[in-house]
Structure formats: structure tokens, C-alpha cells
Amino acid sequence: MRRICFLLKVKPDRLDEYKRRHAAVWPDMLAALRETGWRNYSLFLRPDGLLVGYFETDDLDAALAGMAATDVNSRWQAEMAPFFEGLDGQPDEGIVPVEEVFHLD
């Protein structure tokens, strides 16, 4: 199992709507995440828009590829893309793992 942490930046004027969308994630999106190996997935949002994502997976490449192959992910990413600053593609393409330097087990 691998722990993945990533950072993105939500536009300050979209914070409230971003939170509302994530309070009601589509059931088929949640199912797709589970089916493709995403576990213990959390998002943390600072008032300045810094988004910290965390999830666990056995195989990061397989988890990302599995989601990329689903229709629901394509729809979700297209709807979420306008919320972010500094992305050249879809939000899930911006997942660049942050190096883990400590873990208390």
C-alpha cells in the first residue's frame, strides 16, 4: 500500500462552490474511485485555496489509469477543471505526489 499526497490550488472565488460540490459527490464517482483502488481518500482545503489531497492505493499508475478509463471521471474532471489555478489539463492530471519524509505508524 502506498500513501499519496498531492497539492492543487482552488481559485479563491470558487471555494464555497468547490466545497458544496464535494459535499455531494456523485454516487457513481464514489463507486468508480473504490473500484479502481482509491482508499482512505481525503481532501483538505485552506482558506487561501491550497488543496491537499491524500489517498492510499496499492498501485498509483493503475488507480489513475482505472479512473481515466471511466466515463464518470471524464465528466467529473471536466466540471472540476474551472475551479483550479495553474492546471494545463484535467485536475486528476495534476496529481503529482509529494515526497513522504515521515510517517508515524
Side-chain angles (χ1 to χ4, degrees):
M1 190 268 315
R2 183 173 172 196
R3 292 180 296 275
I4 305 296
C5 179
F6 62 92
L7 306 172
L8 293 171
K9 183 73 169 69
V10 177
K11 294 175 181 175
D13 63 331
R14 305 294 303 267
L15 295 176
D16 290 338
E17 186 178 355
Y18 184 84
K19 288 190 267 187
R20 278 194 301 275
R21 297 278 185 105
H22 283 82
V25 176
W26 307 332
D28 49 343
M29 182 64 171
L30 297 173
L33 287 163
R34 289 183 182 104
E35 291 165 5
T36 57
W38 298 57
R39 294 186 309 276
N40 203 22
Y41 189 14
S42 296
L43 296 172
F44 302 88
L45 185 60
R46 274 191 344 198
D48 67 355
L50 178 66
L51 180 77
V52 177
Y54 173 87
F55 66 99
E56 298 167 353
T57 187
D58 294 324
D59 184 333
L60 177 60
D61 292 334
L64 292 172
M67 284 304 291
T70 67
D71 177 62
V72 68
N73 187 62
S74 297
R75 291 184 286 118
W76 180 265
Q77 298 305 323
E79 288 208 13
M80 292 296 106
F83 287 86
F84 294 98
E85 293 180 358
L87 285 181
D88 292 329
Q90 300 290 13
D92 61 345
E93 295 169 357
I95 293 177
V96 177
V98 175
E99 179 184 6
E100 181 177 337
V101 297
F102 174 79
H103 173 75
L104 176 64
D105 196 14

